[in-house]
Amino acid sequence: MYFPYLRGRQYELIAIRELVENDLIGPKIIPIIEPVKPSSTFKKTIDVFIKNEHKLAVVHNPQVASYLKALASLEEGLLKSELENIYEQENIIFSHILNDKSEDELIGFETIRNEDMLVIVNEVDFIEEYKDIFHDELPRFTLVPDESAFRRNIREDKILLEDRFKKQKRNADYAEVTDEFYSEDHLYYKSDGYIGFSDYSIVGSDYFDSGFAPFAVVIHIVYLDEEEKLRIKHFVSDSNDDINDPAGKFYEALQKLMAWQKEVEVDTFAMREFKKFYENETYPGLGTVKKLSIMHHLEIVNQYFEEYTR
C-alpha cells in the first residue's frame, strides 16, 4: 500500500481530488493530508473521497501552518461544523502526529478505536510515548522512518515514511541532475517488514506557507525504469537569468518533456494534460504544473500496483 503524504496546499488537494474523480488511483493508494487551511477546497476534497468511497487519512493535529487556529476562528456555519466533524465520516481515517502533547491532544477522541487510526512517529524521543499510549491496542497504521530504533520498537503494521525528493536550492540547479534515482520502496517494503510505504511525492517534506517567483521553471516527472525502480526527470527552462516571462520558461521546460514523452510513450492523465498545453501553447500557472506532476506520480504508482501486484 502507498500513502502519499501531502500538506494540503490547494494544488495538492485538487491533485488527489481529480485522481479520485477520474478513477485513476485504486484502494491501495491512501493519501494523507496534513491540512494547512480550513478552506472550501479542503472540504470539497473530503466530500469527493467520501462520495467515491475512497479512504483518505487526515491529520487532526497538523504541525505546520496554523490550521487549528484558523478553524477555531471560523465563523459558526456549515463549513466549520463539517470540518470539525469529519472523523465521523466513513472512509476518513483519523491521523495523529505523535508529539510531547499527544496525550492531551487525543482527549476527546476516545470513541475512535485505535484499529481505525493512523499515527505518525517521526522522532526517536516519542517511541516510549507511543508505547505508553498504545500499549493495549496498536493503531491500524504507524508511519515511521527507516531507522533501527523504530524497527526494533515498532514491529507491527508499520509504514515506511521517507522523503525521497532531493530538493535543490534553486530550480535552475536541477539542470545539473536532469535524471536521478527516486525510490525502490514499492519493490521492497514488504520484504523489509513494512505493510506500506509513504513519501512526500515531488514536493518534499519542507513546508513553506508562501510562494515566490522562480528564476527557472522545472517540471518533475517520476517514471519506472527497466527494473521497475522509480526515477525522476527534471525538465528545466533555459532562460533563467531573471523572473520575467514564466509562461515562456514553462514552454521551454515543456518542450523538453514532450520530446522525452514521445520517446518513452508514458501515458497518464497528467501527460495528456501537458500535451494539451504544449499543442495550444497555453500556460496554466505553476500551481497546475505541480498539481499535474503529483497526479502523474501517484498514477504511475497505481499503474505499478495494478500490473505487478495482483
Side-chain angles (χ1 to χ4, degrees):
M1 297 180 70
Y2 176 43
F3 297 76
Y5 195 111
L6 302 170
R7 281 310 183 2
R9 302 172 185 88
Q10 178 165 294
Y11 64 82
E12 294 167 306
L13 295 171
I14 297 174
I16 60 172
R17 189 175 81 206
E18 291 186 0
L19 284 166
V20 170
E21 286 175 329
N22 290 283
D23 195 26
L24 296 173
I25 55 173
K28 292 183 179 180
I29 298 183
I30 302 176
I32 301 169
I33 292 294
E34 183 180 356
V36 297
K37 185 184 296 184
S39 65
S40 57
T41 302
F42 179 40
K43 177 58 173 57
K44 185 176 180 181
T45 300
I46 292 169
D47 290 343
V48 166
F49 274 76
I50 293 170
K51 178 182 177 182
N52 288 274
E53 299 181 351
H54 195 113
K55 291 189 182 300
L56 174 68
V58 179
V59 174
H60 88 100
N61 63 332
Q63 304 296 296
V64 298
S66 54
Y67 173 81
L68 294 177
K69 184 177 180 180
L71 179 60
S73 65
L74 274 183
E75 291 185 13
E76 294 297 331
L78 186 59
L79 176 61
K80 181 174 183 178
S81 174
E82 290 182 337
L83 288 178
E84 288 178 336
N85 296 287
I86 58 173
Y87 301 109
E88 298 174 3
Q89 301 294 323
E90 194 76 21
N91 293 309
I92 302 301
I93 301 173
F94 178 90
S95 306
H96 178 82
I97 300 174
L98 209 69
N99 62 90
D100 55 6
K101 299 177 182 177
S102 283
E103 286 200 58
D104 292 335
E105 291 178 347
L106 289 170
I107 293 174
F109 295 99
E110 292 87 350
T111 58
I112 297 175
R113 301 175 302 175
N114 292 0
E115 64 184 34
D116 296 326
M117 188 181 298
L118 180 149
V119 173
I120 300 135
V121 189
N122 50 25
E123 292 188 32
V124 172
D125 287 343
F126 299 138
I127 291 177
E128 290 305 315
E129 184 159 1
Y130 172 86
K131 290 180 176 180
D132 290 341
I133 293 174
F134 301 104
H135 65 279
D136 288 332
E137 183 184 25
L138 295 176
R140 175 66 185 90
F141 305 112
T142 301
L143 274 70
V144 295
D146 189 23
E147 298 174 13
S148 58
F150 294 94
R151 289 195 298 269
R152 283 193 292 263
N153 288 280
I154 301 174
R155 296 179 178 273
E156 296 181 47
D157 296 328
K158 62 182 183 288
I159 309 294
L160 170 64
L161 172 61
E162 290 289 339
D163 184 358
R164 298 305 185 188
F165 184 69
K166 298 173 185 175
K167 199 171 187 66
Q168 300 292 327
K169 289 184 178 179
R170 307 173 306 159
N171 278 356
D173 294 338
Y174 290 105
E176 303 300 318
V177 282
T178 57
D179 189 311
E180 60 182 332
F181 175 78
Y182 180 81
S183 173
E184 56 186 13
D185 293 336
H186 59 295
L187 297 174
Y188 302 114
Y189 72 92
K190 288 184 179 179
S191 59
D192 288 342
Y194 299 93
I195 62 169
F197 64 98
S198 177
D199 59 39
Y200 299 86
S201 188
I202 53 85
V203 182
S205 61
D206 293 337
Y207 173 76
F208 303 98
D209 61 2
S210 59
F212 59 91
F215 277 68
V217 168
V218 56
I219 306 172
H220 307 289
I221 297 295
V222 170
Y223 70 98
L224 289 165
D225 68 11
E226 293 179 354
E227 297 179 334
E228 306 305 333
K229 296 178 181 179
L230 285 171
R231 297 186 63 83
I232 186 168
K233 294 190 75 73
H234 311 288
F235 301 95
V236 187
S237 57
D238 298 311
S239 53
N240 304 326
D241 295 329
D242 53 45
I243 63 172
N244 295 325
D245 192 19
K249 296 175 190 291
F250 167 68
Y251 199 72
E252 290 172 352
L254 185 60
Q255 285 180 306
K256 297 176 183 179
L257 169 59
M258 289 294 100
W260 175 77
Q261 196 276 337
K262 189 174 182 180
E263 287 181 22
V264 298
E265 297 183 341
V266 175
D267 182 34
T268 63
F269 175 89
M271 277 297 183
R272 294 190 292 273
E273 291 298 296
F274 277 126
K275 187 175 182 180
K276 291 177 185 177
F277 296 134
Y278 176 71
E279 292 173 343
N280 298 328
E281 298 187 21
T282 51
Y283 172 55
L286 293 180
T288 297
V289 174
K290 291 178 180 177
K291 178 199 78 170
L292 290 174
S293 294
I294 292 171
M295 291 181 69
H296 172 81
H297 176 200
L298 272 59
E299 187 177 353
I300 285 291
V301 175
N302 188 73
Q303 289 177 356
Y304 167 80
F305 278 140
E306 290 188 346
E307 186 170 351
Y308 295 101
T309 61
R310 293 171 183 169

